[in-house]
């Protein structure tokens, strides 16, 4: 009897402690970005540091009075070979789903920086070459800046799951708390009643056990009360469900993008200058969703293969992507920053790779600037198939957002 009562009491205490502790630790159920992506982060940090140092070495050769020394030329050869290796590593990172679009762009920039350094090395072996030096330094600085941006997007992932940052999140969190209070009080009450019953009605010398077939009044009570609670919750949540899921309640805004889920990535298509999705000037990205703070945003959700689930945890938005269906999804955010898009439906062996970056821009001008820059970079030339020393670079499609 004492053992069972202690077990029930301990269970109630642990459950209560978990409910109380969770709101005070913002990240106890979030993945550790650096732990999950430690190897890829090490690559980005190496590129950030080494490309900056290499740019400084090349810059120092701008005003040479004659040909570069053998030691300087060997340093440039070493840097070029290192850049070619980084292009291969970045291609592998993109294939593994790590910031696919950014990794592809960095791969292109690393390969082109390698070519620029090779051209500078050839020119400096003959004599002063300010133009070649300037081109190589520019390529290396561009590579370093993009590596820094990629590092920031992983190490600064935005807000925790605790704080709601959208109108839907506040409605859903309110429902969660209400249900948690009801079920929590019921759980603790039942555990407490069992402990009291074990101690009060336990076996004692001289006490005769009494058999009871049951009580109709008690059975009616424990059927009617839970039923009434369920009916109350069903009616109480209708407004939230209608606001989030009913197309008839959506604001009259054009879709921001078309999001297509496929094994194992999110492909996103934004309208180009003509404002229409599905035309030749569209912007294509992979695992990179952008929208503006404070504005209602609608995307068209599709699936290319199997069932997926579009899940924005900080915004409390979840919608299945069903093959053959074009599903509108409404959401907003009242906080700018970087957040996360996940697939919440087991969709195959690579399900764990379906993580995308979500960027909420502070203003429409900031979003428009990103869109214009991305459209310009979409036709950034791909890296060569191999470098002069035969170091094969991973293949890259024509645009950074098409895999």
């Amino acid at each position: 009897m004492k053992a069972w009562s202690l077990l029930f009491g301990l269970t109630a205490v642990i459950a209560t402690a978990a409910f109380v502790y969770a709101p005070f630790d913002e990240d106890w159920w979030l993945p550790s970005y650096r732990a999950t992506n430690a190897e890829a982060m090490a690559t980005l940090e190496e590129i950030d540091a080494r490309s900056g140092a290499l740019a400084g070495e090349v810059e120092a050769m701008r005003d040479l009075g004659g040909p570069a020394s053998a030691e300087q030329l060997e340093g440039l050869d070493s840097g070029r070979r290192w850049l070619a290796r980084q292009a291969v590593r970045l291609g592998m990172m993109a294939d593994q789903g790590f910031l696919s679009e950014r990794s592809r762009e960095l791969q292109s920039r690393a390969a082109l920086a390698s070519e620029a350094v090779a051209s500078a090395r050839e020119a400096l072996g003959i004599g002063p070459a300010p133009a070649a030096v300037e081109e190589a330094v520019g390529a290396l600085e561009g590579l370093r800046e993009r590596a820094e941006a990629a590092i920031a997007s992983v190490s600064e992932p935005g807000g925790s799951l605790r704080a709601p940052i959208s109108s839907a999140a506040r409605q859903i969190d309110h429902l969660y708390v209400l249900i948690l209070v009801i079920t929590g009080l019921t759980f603790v009450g039942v555990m407490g009643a069992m402990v009291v019953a074990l101690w009060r009605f336990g076996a004692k010398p001289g006490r005769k056990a009494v058999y009871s077939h049951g009580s109709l009044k008690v059975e009616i009570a424990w059927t009617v009360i839970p039923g009434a609670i369920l009916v109350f919750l069903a009616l109480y949540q209708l407004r939230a469900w209608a606001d989030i899921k009913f197309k008839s309640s959506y604001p009259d805004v054009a879709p921001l993008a078309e999001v297509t889920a496929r094994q194992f990535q999110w492909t996103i298509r934004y309208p180009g200058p003509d404002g229409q999705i599905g035309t030749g000037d569209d912007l294509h990205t992979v695992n990179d969703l952008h929208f503006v703070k404070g504005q209602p945003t609608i995307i068209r959700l599709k699936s290319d293969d199997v069932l997926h689930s579009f899940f924005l945890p900080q915004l409390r938005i979840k919608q299945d992507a069903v093959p053959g269906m074009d599903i509108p999804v409404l959401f907003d955010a009242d906080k700018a920053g970087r957040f996360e898009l996940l697939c919440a439906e087991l969709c195959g062996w690579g399900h764990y790779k379906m993580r995308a970056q979500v960027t909420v821009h502070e203003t429409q001008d900031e979003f428009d600037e990103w869109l214009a820059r991305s459209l310009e970079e979409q036709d950034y030339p791909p890296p060569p198939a191999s470098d002069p020393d035969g170091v094969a670079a991973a293949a890259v499609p024509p645009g950074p957002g098409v895999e």
Side-chain angles (χ1 to χ4, degrees):
M1 178 190 72
K2 291 183 179 180
W4 281 108
S5 64
L6 288 174
L7 175 63
F8 291 134
L10 183 61
T11 302
V13 170
I14 292 174
T16 303
F19 291 149
V20 171
Y21 169 73
F24 292 97
D25 187 343
E26 294 189 355
D27 298 326
W28 75 286
W29 60 350
L30 281 174
S32 170
Y33 283 73
R34 281 192 171 270
T36 304
N37 303 304
E39 185 177 351
M41 285 295 295
T43 297
L44 293 179
E45 289 168 351
E46 179 185 345
I47 291 172
D48 180 25
R50 181 79 184 273
S51 58
L54 185 57
E57 294 174 16
V58 177
E59 176 71 22
M61 302 181 199
R62 181 191 297 272
D63 300 320
L64 289 177
S69 66
E71 182 180 354
Q72 289 172 320
L73 294 177
E74 174 56 31
L76 292 177
D77 281 335
S78 174
R80 178 181 56 80
R81 290 191 295 270
W82 172 79
L83 286 165
R85 289 195 297 272
Q86 303 320 302
V88 175
R89 293 170 70 182
L90 288 161
M92 294 173 61
M93 286 163 50
D95 291 339
Q96 293 167 2
F98 179 80
L99 297 180
S100 299
E101 181 191 3
R102 288 180 180 272
S103 296
R104 293 291 188 206
E105 183 192 350
L106 281 166
Q107 182 189 16
S108 296
R109 288 182 176 273
L112 291 172
S114 177
E115 287 187 340
V117 171
S119 298
R121 188 259 183 232
E122 184 177 351
L124 288 167
I126 300 173
V133 167
E134 184 175 351
E135 182 180 353
V137 169
L140 289 165
E141 287 294 338
L143 176 63
R144 182 186 61 80
E145 290 173 2
R146 296 301 172 137
E148 288 179 348
I151 291 170
S153 69
V154 177
S155 58
E156 302 173 7
S160 73
L161 291 180
R162 185 186 70 167
I165 64 165
S166 70
S167 54
R170 283 185 286 275
Q171 290 177 294
I172 292 172
D173 280 8
H174 173 71
L175 292 172
Y176 276 152
V177 171
L178 176 63
I179 294 171
L180 180 62
V181 169
I182 293 172
T183 56
L185 290 176
T186 302
F187 177 81
V188 172
V190 169
M191 292 297 104
M194 293 179 72
V195 170
V196 170
L198 285 169
W199 281 91
R200 182 174 179 182
F201 302 108
K204 291 182 179 179
R207 174 182 288 179
K208 184 179 180 180
V210 177
Y211 173 77
S212 174
H213 178 69
S215 170
L216 180 60
K217 292 181 179 179
V218 173
E219 290 181 3
I220 291 174
W222 73 39
T223 301
V224 171
I225 293 174
I229 292 174
L230 292 176
V231 170
F232 164 73
L233 291 176
L235 297 175
Y236 192 75
Q237 59 82 38
L238 282 178
R239 183 69 264 165
W241 179 261
D243 289 344
I244 298 168
K245 296 293 186 181
F246 284 11
K247 188 176 180 180
S248 58
S249 65
Y250 283 10
D252 185 18
V253 296
L256 171 81
E258 178 184 273
V259 179
T260 303
R262 65 178 180 178
Q263 296 172 316
F264 297 97
Q265 62 187 11
W266 301 95
T267 60
I268 304 169
R269 186 172 190 165
Y270 299 86
D274 67 358
Q276 300 294 320
I277 298 176
T279 57
D281 65 350
D282 289 351
L283 170 66
H284 299 264
T285 70
V286 176
N287 296 335
D288 196 15
L289 176 63
H290 291 247
F291 60 96
V292 182
K293 165 187 168 184
Q295 294 186 10
T297 301
I298 296 176
I299 58 106
R300 290 163 40 191
L301 181 63
K302 298 182 177 181
S303 173
D304 264 354
D305 37 48
V306 300
L307 194 68
H308 299 273
S309 186
F310 178 90
F311 182 34
L312 298 171
Q314 285 90 351
L315 275 62
R316 314 294 194 265
I317 292 296
K318 185 186 290 185
Q319 173 62 55
D320 282 352
V322 183
M325 295 184 66
D326 187 336
I327 303 172
V329 182
L330 171 69
F331 51 86
D332 61 16
D334 51 25
K335 177 182 178 182
R338 294 185 179 91
F339 304 97
E340 191 174 37
L341 165 61
L342 305 172
C343 177
E345 183 76 32
L346 184 60
C347 56
W349 68 267
H351 167 67
Y352 71 96
K353 296 166 60 175
M354 288 194 66
R355 284 185 5 191
Q357 173 181 270
V358 177
T359 302
V360 181
H361 294 275
E362 185 72 35
T363 63
Q364 182 66 45
D365 289 343
E366 184 181 307
F367 174 83
D368 292 340
E369 181 183 349
W370 167 81
L371 185 64
R373 184 175 68 250
S374 299
L375 284 167
E376 181 181 344
E377 293 172 351
Q378 182 162 247
D379 296 323
Y380 206 81
S386 63
D387 76 299
D389 287 346
V391 180
V396 180
V402 181
E403 297 186 345

